Every structure is written in C-alpha cells, then in structure tokens.
C-alpha cells in the first residue's frame, strides 16, 4: 500500500475538489473524519485507505450532507462501502448534475441519463428498467 504525506494527499485531492487543501486535510484528520494515520517506521503517514475516506467525504458533501452527518455515516460503514462511495464522486460533479437528467423509477431505483441519447433510446431504457423491476416483483 502506498504512503503519503499530508501535502501529497492534498495535492491528489485537489484534482478532485479544489477546496481540499492542506489545511482541510489536516482539519479532517484532527477531528477524526478519517482513521488515525498509520505508522510506517517512525513516521505517521496517510495511505490509499485515507484517500477513499477523503473522496467519500467529498462525495457526500456534494449531496448536501453536513460534516457532522458525514462523520457519523462514515463511522458506521465498512472500508468497502466507503470505497464504493468514493468511486461515485464523479456522479456528483456540478456539470454532470446540471447536464444529465435524473429519473426516479421507484424509491429504490434512480437512473441518470445523458442528454446526448435520443428520446427513443431514453424511453427504451426507462421501459427496460421498469420491465425488469416488474419481473423482480413477480
């Protein structure tokens, strides 16, 4: 597993969100938003797992969650779940939210469709998902 300094973590995360500077990384670490740093030799370092935590924080903050609720959520989740959230970060980029159309099919199924697909294909996707859901409920 790769190790990082706080400055290196901030540089990686600034590519995802310009607000993730060194001060923010240290603050989130200090208040326990991410797990304690790992010991490598006689140095405390960040790891890839910390990157997943920071990216999950970015993702959840883009959904409108407060820092306090994000912290509570992360405490309850496994590393695997945190990694899944961190991988969804791109879905919450403001340009994508504005550009794409999000449709609620059921309470449990929400799809996002690019405006670049035709109205005909969009309807086929909606019909296919709806049909698959009906088949699941039978």
């Amino acid at each position: 597993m790769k190790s990082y300094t706080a400055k290196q973590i901030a540089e990686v995360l600034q590519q995802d969100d310009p607000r993730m500077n060194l001060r923010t990384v240290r603050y989130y670490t200090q208040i326990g938003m991410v797990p304690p740093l790992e010991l490598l030799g006689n140095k405390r370092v960040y790891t890839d797992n910390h990157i997943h935590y920071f990216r999950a924080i970015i993702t959840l903050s883009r959904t409108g969650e407060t820092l306090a609720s994000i912290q509570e959520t992360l405490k309850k989740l496994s590393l695997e779940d945190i990694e899944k959230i961190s991988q969804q970060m791109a879905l919450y980029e403001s340009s994508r939210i504005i550009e794409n159309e999000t449709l609620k099919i059921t309470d449990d199924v929400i799809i996002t469709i690019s405006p670049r697909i035709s109205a005909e294909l969009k309807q086929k996707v909606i019909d296919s998902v709806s049909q698959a859901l009906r088949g699941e409920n039978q």
Side-chain angles (χ1 to χ4, degrees):
M1 184 170 292
K2 213 171 165 193
S3 65
Y4 306 87
T5 65
K7 185 178 179 184
Q8 289 170 325
I9 283 279
E11 288 170 356
V12 168
L13 295 172
Q14 281 195 317
Q15 295 171 13
D16 302 322
D17 187 334
R19 296 172 294 177
M20 290 298 294
N21 57 37
L22 181 58
R23 186 175 181 194
T24 304
V25 166
R26 287 186 172 146
Y27 176 69
Y28 288 173
T29 304
Q30 181 183 8
I31 65 171
M33 294 284 294
V34 298
L37 299 182
E38 295 190 20
L39 201 56
L40 181 66
N42 63 350
K43 290 184 178 183
R44 294 183 328 143
V45 296
Y46 292 92
T47 66
D48 291 329
N49 291 342
H50 291 95
I51 290 178
H52 295 306
Y53 270 85
F54 283 115
R55 286 185 172 152
I57 292 166
I58 294 168
T59 302
L60 293 172
S61 67
R62 287 179 179 174
T63 68
E65 294 283 328
T66 65
L67 276 185
S69 67
I70 292 170
Q71 189 169 19
E72 287 304 310
T73 299
L74 295 179
K75 285 180 183 177
K76 299 173 190 171
L77 298 176
S78 67
L79 180 58
E80 183 179 296
D81 289 336
I82 289 168
E83 197 170 338
K84 285 179 188 176
I85 292 170
S86 75
Q87 292 168 352
Q88 295 178 23
M89 186 173 57
L91 298 175
Y92 294 96
E93 290 175 3
S94 57
S95 61
R96 281 197 146 161
I97 292 170
I98 293 168
E99 178 182 302
N100 294 340
E101 182 177 358
T102 301
L103 304 164
K104 182 177 178 181
I105 307 296
T106 69
D107 285 341
D108 297 323
V109 177
I110 298 171
I111 60 174
T112 301
I113 299 178
S114 168
R116 293 184 292 276
I117 68 169
S118 67
E120 181 181 314
L121 181 55
K122 175 181 160 183
Q123 192 57 51
K124 283 182 181 179
V125 168
I126 293 168
D127 293 344
S128 296
V129 170
S130 298
Q131 184 178 1
L133 290 170
R134 283 193 297 275
E136 184 181 274
N137 294 329
Q138 294 177 354

